[in-house]
Amino acid sequence: MGNEVRVRYAPSPTGYLHIGNARTALFNYLFARNQGGKFIIRIEDTDQSRNVEGGVENQLDYLKWLGMDWDESIDKEGEYGPYTQMERLDIYTEHTKELLNKELAYKCYCTEDELEAEREAQRARGEMPRYSGKCRHLTEDQREKLEAEGREPSIRFAVPRDKEYSFDDVVKDRVSFESNGIGDFVIVKKNGIPTYNYAVALDDHHMKISHVLRGDDHISNTPKQLMIYEAFGFEPPKFGHMTLIVNDQKKKLSKRDKSIVQYIEQYHDLGFLPEALFNFVTLLGWSPKGEEELFTKEQLIEIFDPERLSTSPAVFDSQKLYWMNNQYIKQASLDRVVELTLPHLVEAGRFPLEMTADQKEWAQELIALYQEQLHYGREIVELTELFFKQEIQYNEEAMTVLNEEQIPEVMQGFLEQLKEVEEFEPAAIKSAIKATQKATGHKGKKLFMPIRVATTGETHGPELPQAIALLGREAVNARLNQVLAMSKA
């Protein structure tokens, strides 16, 4: 097989790029780049009935968005193509003929009804359902008779009996299976399309894949693939099976679990930064040395070691992801944060698609006000809601503040000081607040909290002078007068 590290990510176009599949791709990518090897993307499209339109494009587009590139695939030809399985049918057919000629595989004429009846009978006897092998020793006459009935055969692999299949797993160490627990499995369906375990073993061999890093749910497939390798005298790759991703209740991450955003496209649409997601996904089941958690792609490539893949399930912590994305947003340029957030404000109807220079400037200042606390792009819509309200409905917490006895004096005092402000900008507004303190004698929370609540409707938020400046003189005066009128009622 040679010493070059060659790994693959092999999605089926039966769905879009899921967080679990992205992690598989990411670990293979990091390992290949760390070792100076090759990262290959192969499309496993043999399950034609389940393939979804745009599935391949979605996988490739969002792997690129996350920051991955590859050395060979459908869009980057190498010497081991084609890179879609349906274009490799002639390769599988030739190998199937070889297995049949060597009597290492055989034609099975059982119908689905017959197979289900066999499984039901086995369950009734308390046995693990598996194919009995009744077509394994059919004579030529029996096969001809069945074909004369119009039966189309599938091809089954003749599983060796009384044999142990073992391999050293990168994550799990030594893993062993007894062949007697595995029934003769189908390698080619009745329609002539190869099954997963058969095609993947042949593809990995012919593409010279050196290491197979994949999810824990594939471990039961490994002995079947080892049997295929053995039948042809091929050297198997080195296997590593990553533990499952679980939710905060320690349950396997299910695509039906709506408490977690699970598709990479959704994170893109919500306004997450790809490098933050790259960093977060890398830490799902892999850990670096030390306590540091924030890394660039280049740093992760340099330190990635598959020996540090976890043996425990990886817990998907949404709050940690929000925290991590916030760290990246805080470090990003304002232009990039505007690019991340402004489309969401436009979509929400807060700004027109075509903006004037003044609107663009105001939008940029508004977004800058929230950059420090922003967890993802779409959150800007909720955070900035107070700037687009014609009238504030004060909640119970706000009313507790506005019912304090000093409110009329603070509201009137601040209104008077704002009249003296010529340029309605943060420094002048800050001076007006200080002047209100001097004139009224109220300070600290007794001063700042009423002004914040009266002008924004909130008890906490961004820098107060900046927020008041962005609200504008007219809106601020209207809100202060509204509170003043309420306090005198």
Side-chain angles (χ1 to χ4, degrees):
M1 186 174 292
N3 294 322
E4 183 184 39
V5 167
R6 288 179 57 83
V7 295
R8 48 74 169 178
Y9 169 59
S12 63
T14 55
Y16 298 148
L17 184 60
H18 183 263
I19 201 84
N21 293 336
R23 183 186 70 159
T24 298
L26 191 47
F27 286 166
N28 279 281
Y29 168 79
L30 289 171
F31 181 52
R33 295 293 175 257
N34 173 272
Q35 295 291 311
K38 296 291 195 298
F39 176 52
I40 296 99
I41 295 182
R42 181 176 71 227
I43 307 300
E44 299 186 345
D45 59 344
T46 55
D47 195 349
Q48 296 282 290
S49 63
R50 294 181 59 226
N51 291 347
V52 300
E53 186 176 353
V56 173
E57 292 78 8
N58 185 276
Q59 293 273 343
L60 298 183
D61 287 348
Y62 286 100
L63 288 175
K64 288 177 185 175
W65 177 75
L66 280 171
M68 282 178 258
D69 61 304
W70 41 90
D71 302 287
E72 301 168 28
S73 188
I74 57 173
D75 61 347
K76 197 168 186 179
E77 285 294 325
E79 57 184 303
Y80 301 103
Y83 293 91
T84 58
Q85 288 186 328
M86 289 302 289
E87 295 181 271
R88 300 174 64 84
L89 294 181
D90 57 334
I91 297 173
Y92 312 133
T93 299
E94 286 303 310
H95 284 80
T96 303
K97 289 177 182 175
E98 182 179 340
L99 291 179
L100 288 169
N101 290 336
K102 293 180 176 178
E103 297 186 348
L104 298 175
Y106 60 91
K107 294 180 179 180
C108 172
Y109 296 89
C110 297
T111 66
E112 188 51 48
D113 287 343
E114 290 169 340
L115 292 171
E116 182 55 36
E118 184 177 271
R119 288 191 288 266
E120 284 297 325
Q122 290 170 334
R123 291 189 191 100
R125 296 193 297 268
E127 300 172 1
M128 181 68 72
R130 62 175 179 268
Y131 182 60
S132 64
K134 66 181 187 179
C135 288
R136 186 166 180 167
H137 302 294
L138 291 176
T139 65
E140 188 63 36
D141 287 344
Q142 288 171 318
R143 282 195 290 270
E144 288 177 1
K145 182 179 179 182
L146 290 166
E147 289 180 11
E149 293 176 11
R151 295 200 184 202
E152 293 286 338
S154 60
I155 310 296
R156 287 184 183 271
F157 184 78
V159 173
R161 295 295 173 240
D162 304 316
K163 189 165 184 176
E164 182 180 84
Y165 286 86
S166 301
F167 61 97
D168 291 314
D169 192 277
V170 172
V171 180
K172 300 178 178 298
D173 297 326
R174 194 71 174 169
V175 181
S176 299
F177 292 88
E178 297 293 333
S179 67
N180 290 349
I182 302 171
D184 293 350
F185 55 94
V186 175
I187 57 174
V188 181
K189 293 178 279 191
K190 295 180 188 295
N191 61 4
I193 304 297
T195 58
Y196 170 78
N197 284 307
Y198 186 47
V200 79
L202 292 176
D203 289 342
D204 284 346
H205 169 74
H206 287 293
M207 291 183 176
K208 300 191 183 301
I209 300 302
S210 63
H211 296 73
V212 173
L213 302 178
R214 58 189 179 187
D216 207 6
D217 50 336
H218 280 287
I219 198 161
S220 61
N221 291 322
T222 309
K224 295 178 182 179
Q225 293 166 22
L226 289 173
M227 292 175 195
I228 301 298
Y229 276 97
E230 180 184 67
F232 291 108
F234 298 157
E235 180 187 351
K238 179 80 171 175
F239 291 99
H241 291 89
M242 300 167 286
T243 56
L244 298 174
I245 303 174
V246 297
N247 62 21
D248 54 7
Q249 278 85 47
K250 304 296 190 289
K251 293 182 179 178
K252 179 184 175 183
L253 202 61
S254 163
K255 292 178 181 178
R256 294 185 296 275
D257 185 351
K258 301 303 181 185
S259 67
I260 293 174
V261 177
Q262 299 200 30
Y263 290 92
I264 302 303
E265 182 177 6
Q266 292 174 290
Y267 285 104
H268 167 274
D269 294 346
L270 282 169
F272 279 76
L273 290 172
E275 59 268 37
L277 204 57
F278 188 106
N279 191 159
F280 175 78
V281 173
T282 301
L283 300 182
L284 284 175
W286 178 84
S287 60
K289 295 176 181 177
E291 300 298 320
E292 181 61 47
E293 292 186 297
L294 299 176
F295 300 94
T296 64
K297 179 174 76 171
E298 291 71 26
Q299 287 171 328
L300 288 169
I301 288 171
E302 184 178 348
I303 65 176
F304 186 79
D305 179 359
E307 298 292 334
R308 295 191 62 81
L309 287 168
S310 175
T311 57
S312 302
V315 179
F316 191 101
D317 185 345
S318 296
Q319 294 307 309
K320 182 176 179 179
L321 173 56
Y322 293 146
W323 169 82
M324 188 172 284
N325 200 56
N326 171 252
Q327 301 304 304
Y328 279 86
I329 287 175
K330 286 195 286 191
Q331 296 299 317
S333 69
L334 179 57
D335 285 345
R336 190 162 184 221
V337 178
V338 170
E339 183 183 342
L340 194 71
T341 53
L342 189 53
H344 296 289
L345 290 168
V346 171
E347 184 183 3
R350 303 284 171 79
F351 291 94
L353 192 58
E354 298 294 330
M355 283 180 269
T356 65
D358 286 346
Q359 285 174 321
K360 287 179 181 177
E361 183 180 354
W362 191 78
Q364 187 174 54
E365 290 176 4
L366 179 66
I367 291 164
L369 196 59
Y370 287 94
Q371 180 171 353
E372 285 293 309
Q373 66 188 92
L374 197 65
H375 294 98
Y376 55 94
R378 188 176 290 177
E379 191 180 30
I380 197 71
V381 176
E382 180 183 351
L383 288 174
T384 60
E385 186 178 5
L386 70 95
F387 290 91
F388 301 95
K389 287 181 175 178
Q390 292 299 314
E391 188 174 316
I392 296 178
Q393 298 297 320
Y394 297 103
N395 61 25
E396 185 177 347
E397 185 182 14
M399 287 306 300
T400 300
V401 174
L402 297 180
N403 284 329
E404 293 175 0
E405 61 180 359
Q406 83 281 16
I407 294 303
E409 191 176 3
V410 171
M411 295 298 105
Q412 188 64 55
F414 190 44
L415 277 165
E416 292 296 328
Q417 295 302 326
L418 287 179
K419 288 178 184 177
E420 305 301 318
V421 173
E422 293 183 11
E423 294 291 333
F424 207 74
E425 47 87 26
I429 291 165
K430 187 174 182 180
S431 296
I433 294 173
K434 286 183 177 179
T436 304
Q437 175 184 325
K438 186 175 181 180
T440 64
H442 297 295
K443 58 185 179 179
K445 285 187 68 176
K446 291 292 184 180
L447 174 71
F448 292 101
M449 189 61 78
I451 293 175
R452 178 179 291 282
V453 172
T455 54
T456 70
E458 299 175 352
T459 54
H460 54 82
E463 287 291 326
L464 187 56
Q466 283 87 338
I468 290 174
L470 282 170
L471 279 166
R473 189 187 297 272
E474 184 179 340
V476 169
N477 284 342
R479 293 177 183 185
L480 290 171
N481 278 308
Q482 178 188 352
V483 172
L484 188 58
M486 287 164 46
S487 67
K488 291 179 178 179

